[in-house]
Amino acid sequence: MLASKQICTIRNCRLLAAAGRTNFRFLSTSDDVAVEGEWAGCKRSFMAPLRVAARGADILYNPLYNKGTAFKSGERDRLGFRGLLPSRAMNIHSQKARFLLALRAETSAIKKNIMLEDLHDRNETLYHRVLVDHIEEMAPLIYTPTVGQACLEFGARFRRPRGMYFSEEDRGHMAAMVYNWPHKDVHVIVVTDGSRILGLGDLGANGMGIPIGKLSLYCAAGGIAPHRVLPVVLDAGTDNKELLNDEFYMGTQQPRLQGDRYWNLVDEFMQAVRFRWPNVLVQFEDFSSNVAQTLLDKYRDDHLCFNDDIQGTGATALAGLLSALRARGEKVTSLGDQRIVIAGAGSAGIGIGQVLKQAMMEQGKSEKEATNTFFICDHKGLLGKERCHELNPEQQEFARDEDSGLPLLDVVKKYKPTILLGVTAVGGLFTRELISEMSVNCERPIIFPLSNPTAKAECTAEQAYEWSHGRCIFASGSPFDAVEMDDGRIFSPSQCNNMYVFPGLGLGATVCGATRVTDRMLFVAAEALATFVSEDDLKRGRVFPPITSIREVSHRIAVAVVKEALRENLATRVREKDALDLDSFVAQKMYYPEYVPLVEKTFV
Ligand SMILES: NC(=O)C1=CN([C@@H]2O[C@H](COP(=O)(O)OP(=O)(O)OC[C@H]3O[C@@H](n4cnc5c(N)ncnc54)[C@H](OP(=O)(O)O)[C@@H]3O)[C@@H](O)[C@H]2O)C=CC1
Ligand SMILES: CC(=O)C(=O)O
Ligand SMILES: [Mg+2]
């Protein structure tokens, strides 16, 4: 048995970490210093050099290779840039400390986001190390809520390109264009057309901030190496009048493509990326609801792809609700006995409905019984049969026989739900009256205002706790600080965001070479996430694990996804011996940001 924080070799660390042990320290060969060995099945037993087709200053200006002042003397000679850096060699820890000092001296979140993006552009290893080691502090800066502002100001603040853009002008050239991307082995693409960025509407090409932020999480939280990810904007124009008239807007300044012109653009893009990277996972992100489901249905059977807002959000909400039921002392199998109101019938609302319904059916409910638990509202009120002519097929599945168009508050009054979810992008929609009504009808109402960014949340954590007299179980799309009640009780709200699922789902799907992402993969991802929530978390009113354990969560989700892929005969890259120990198989594939020795390719 290891003593607490025992120092051991990297090889032992890897084995211990793969076995789920975290109470060790290890000696890093790259820095010659002892550092904490946080969860890291990903740490390699042998520091293989990275062969780079570059030399001299080109290495310093390549963010994937650059170590800045951490290049050691021998490397400076070997790679030909002695004299281009100050003499003293630092290590990643001192570099991180210096960066954090500067970052924490800044008070504006958007300026911190810019500092982080500048680091991202200079030194990816250090950037991801900062994220991995300080994910709780950094996630709100590179992701929601700050990424919303970064997208709004994308044009004005543009400095260096990252990712790829495809527009109608590129029709006929996309299969060639993908070869302009300088990395040959892309595993994950996050693509948006910018038509519904968070709850901020159509931001056109300025939506690029979202794929960049999501892919940073893929690397830091999901252990996908940075050279294996590609952020993409499909620039189909914008219907945002402000952007159409903005002299600094950098996207195509035309109204959005419609019909065949739009679908041909998407189709050529999908063919092009599959041509160069046949096994790439494509994550559709923040496509407006009028195309999101069609897009998914068009490609999901033949391509490795998923829609994060529909499927990732559904799985995350399911995990949160299973934990909330546990917190209420109810069986997780009682999901189908709840009355669930979903405010918002777009990608997220219907996606959540679909995943929850599937879970209820897995738990033994009939489809009719499962469907009957839902009351889904859009801005015209309850989805009902009388409104079927104006609903899409997915919404129609949830249309109720009665009370078509009943306003949200009246739905809550009449049907006395036990769960209220918000995915409307309407900040403040959950009023005092609505939350009080929830609390009259239910001892511990589950209230999840999931819209992003913070200003679009249907209510704040403080409001939900205050208006429910501290009885609600709360989780939100963007993070909220802890709330202290007048009676001294302190609640630390959870974040219910698809960031808990997509990195692990993507990791699992890519490491096993899955050929498709299936509904059951989403379901097992949700289960894996839910089982990560401890009794202690629940006692503190938390229904998601702390964000600090996101790499462990992703690892566990990935293992569950690989198992499911094997079960469904969809895994193409798992050898028999790997299948015997999937924990280690996945752990060993996880990228961990640390400096590795560089060696020039031509000399090897
Ligand atoms: N926490 C998380 O992980 C995630 C959060 N989200 C967030 O969810 C939100 C919605 O996303 P998405 O579904 O794609 O967006 P959509 O625009 O597709 O859907 C919004 C839905 O809300 C409805 N709505 C608008 N106003 C009201 C109202 N006053 N009362 C009831 N319903 C209303 C709309 O109805 P109508 O069509 O009639 O206008 C529509 O059905 C965004 O803020 C997004 O950031 C999304 C994905 C993940
Ligand atoms: C979290 C997310 O995917 C969204 O708000 O769109
Ligand atoms: Mg999204």
Side-chain angles (χ1 to χ4, degrees), residues 310-429:
I310 299 175
Q311 298 168 287
T313 313
T316 311
L318 169 61
L321 292 179
L322 295 177
S323 302
L325 293 177
R326 275 171 62 203
R328 275 207 311 223
E330 293 173 27
K331 290 199 178 122
V332 291
T333 47
S334 70
L335 187 64
D337 302 325
Q338 308 296 318
R339 291 178 301 283
I340 304 173
V341 168
I342 305 180
S347 306
I350 297 298
I352 292 171
Q354 288 168 337
V355 174
L356 296 186
K357 192 168 123 180
Q358 186 206 350
M360 291 171 193
M361 287 160 63
E362 297 259 356
Q363 291 177 349
K365 293 283 180 199
S366 68
E367 181 167 8
K368 193 164 173 221
E369 286 168 334
T371 310
N372 206 32
T373 57
F374 293 98
F375 303 83
I376 303 188
C377 296
D378 63 10
H379 88 279
K380 290 186 183 165
L382 188 64
L383 303 190
K385 295 257 153 69
E386 274 174 36
R387 295 181 53 202
C388 269
H389 59 282
E390 58 183 25
L391 304 180
N392 63 40
E394 293 75 34
Q395 292 172 325
Q396 284 177 24
E397 271 184 43
F398 292 96
R400 302 207 51 106
D401 292 337
E402 291 172 3
D403 294 325
S404 205
L406 193 68
L408 178 63
L409 180 62
D410 294 334
V411 171
V412 169
K413 282 185 175 163
K414 178 162 179 186
Y415 291 102
K416 307 188 187 326
T418 54
I419 296 173
L420 173 65
L421 309 177
V423 270
T424 58
V426 180
L429 182 72

Side-chain angles (χ1 to χ4, degrees), residues 143 196 198 210 214 284-287 308-309 313 498:
Y143 188 55
R196 191 286 278 150
L198 303 177
I210 291 292
K214 294 258 175 188
F284 299 119
E285 191 68 50
D286 289 8
F287 282 78
D308 191 33
D309 301 296
T313 313
N498 49 31

